[in-house]
Structure formats: C-alpha cells, structure tokens
Amino acid sequence: MQNILIVHGWMHSAKRYQRLKRDLERLGTYHVELYEFPGFGDTPAKYKRAILRSYAADMQGYLDEHDFDVIVAHSMGGNVVLRALWGEDCARRRPGLVLLSPVYQGVGCLKPWMLVYPLWFPGMWFLQRPFAGCRFLVKLLSLFTVNHWADIDDRIVADVRRADTAVAVRTLWELAFERWHVAGSAAMRRGRTDKTNQPQITLLLGEKDRVIAKKKMALLAKKLGGCELHVVWGMGHTMVVEDYEGLLRLFWPGETE
C-alpha cells in the first residue's frame, strides 16, 4: 500500500481533495493524507510575513516525521513542496512527485494587479461576506483558473469565505514575485546522471492555463533533472475540478466511475 500526501493550492483547502482521497482509498491500494496550510480552510492563520518560507519550513518538519511514497501538490502547494524538498535544509527523503501547475519563479500575470495591492485587502474581505452578490463575484473571478462555468462548485465559495484575509492577500503577493529556484548543486548534478537516485516526477500543466507560463514549467522541468512536462489538452489551472477523472487515472489507469 502506498502512502500519498495531497497538498492544496492558494485559496483551496484540504476539503477540496476529500473526494480524491475517498476514491483512491476505495480502490484499496492507497493511504491518503490531506495537508492544509495555516490561514486556509479550517486551519487558523499562523504567519503574516514570509509566508511561503514559513510554509516550507513547516513542510520540511512534517515530511521528516512522516513517510510518503508520493506527494500530489497543486499551484502554491507545489511551490512549497519544492522548497521543502530542494531547499537548503531539505527534508531527508524525496518521495515521488505529481506537480499540478506548480508556481515557479513567480506568476507574471498577477504582477500588474499588484499595483493596487492595498485594495486587495478590503476587496477580499468584501468577497468573503455572506451575500448572494459576493458569491456570484467569487464564481466570476474563479473563471481565471478554470475554463467553464460548470467547473465552479460550492467548494470554491466555501474555501474563499474560510480563508484568513491577510494571509490570502499576502501570499498572493509573495506568489506573484516569488524568486526561489531549485539550486543547481553538486547533488542535483549527480542526480541528473544517476537516474536511479532520482524520485519519479510527473509535471502537468493545462494547455489553457492562464496562471502558469509554459516557459516557467519548461525551466522547472530542466531544473528537476529533465523530467517530462505533460501539457494536458483543454485544461486550465485547476485539474481537480476540470479533469477529475483524468487526475484519478494517474493513480488508477483502469476504469473510473
């Protein structure tokens, strides 16, 4: 039985992946844990500054204490997992990775929006109010990460309303201007020549992803020892809602119902 860790992205929560956890464990070959970042979902805020770095430090400690065969991480979660596994004080073991549109070297499309950064705080607070109009606006803004209105479910609205406002906005700023990179250390160079010592890495990007640039993912694939970059046709930024069956088939290639 394989142990799998699933790590959510920005403005999502662990509950976003409860269905995937249930379905994988129903297949009888996996034990799945869901990780939730402080300030999102039901986990209280813990940091207000240097959030990504603090998340990575927490993740390092968590991975040192738990043994996983595979980590599935989306967007912000992918960035944090990479920092934890390839940072200066990296976790002691590198499991296999399934990275779903991870943030790497910033998010260029967000930078122009940071010109009105102070307005994001009252704007986020307003979106979290329990009004029908705010609910509609959250769904409308979510079209930036998915390609069809039908892919926007009530879980998205629930996650937006539960997130800590300051953490959500500050983290978005850090993600937009994120400059951390996978170090080209001697150990990495040895890993590139000795494929037996490298964890298996699956890097996926949606063909219609409007958040992550393809050139950034190509750079990341090269930095990770030349792992293959899979571009998923027709998909946007959030595979778990746009192509759930395809995500499930990564682990169970047979029939999915």
Side-chain angles (χ1 to χ4, degrees), residues 201-235:
I201 300 174
T202 302
L203 182 57
L204 292 100
L205 177 69
E207 179 238 350
K208 295 184 178 180
D209 194 321
R210 293 183 289 274
V211 178
I212 306 298
K214 289 183 176 64
K215 64 180 181 180
K216 294 288 182 69
M217 290 300 94
L219 174 62
L220 176 59
K222 182 178 179 181
K223 287 284 188 178
L224 291 174
C227 72
E228 188 174 354
L229 170 61
H230 302 274
V231 178
V232 184
W233 185 86
M235 194 187 75

Side-chain angles (χ1 to χ4, degrees), residues 167-183:
V167 170
V169 176
R170 174 65 190 185
T171 305
L172 193 66
W173 170 278
E174 292 188 17
L175 288 170
F177 297 99
E178 190 263 346
R179 299 301 302 164
W180 179 87
H181 64 92
V182 174

Side-chain angles (χ1 to χ4, degrees), residues 137-159:
L137 286 174
V138 169
K139 291 190 172 186
L140 188 63
L141 292 171
S142 297
L143 285 173
F144 187 69
T145 63
V146 296
N147 290 298
H148 303 95
W149 186 264
D151 292 322
I152 304 171
D153 58 19
D154 289 338
R155 182 73 256 157
I156 290 177
V157 177
D159 285 342

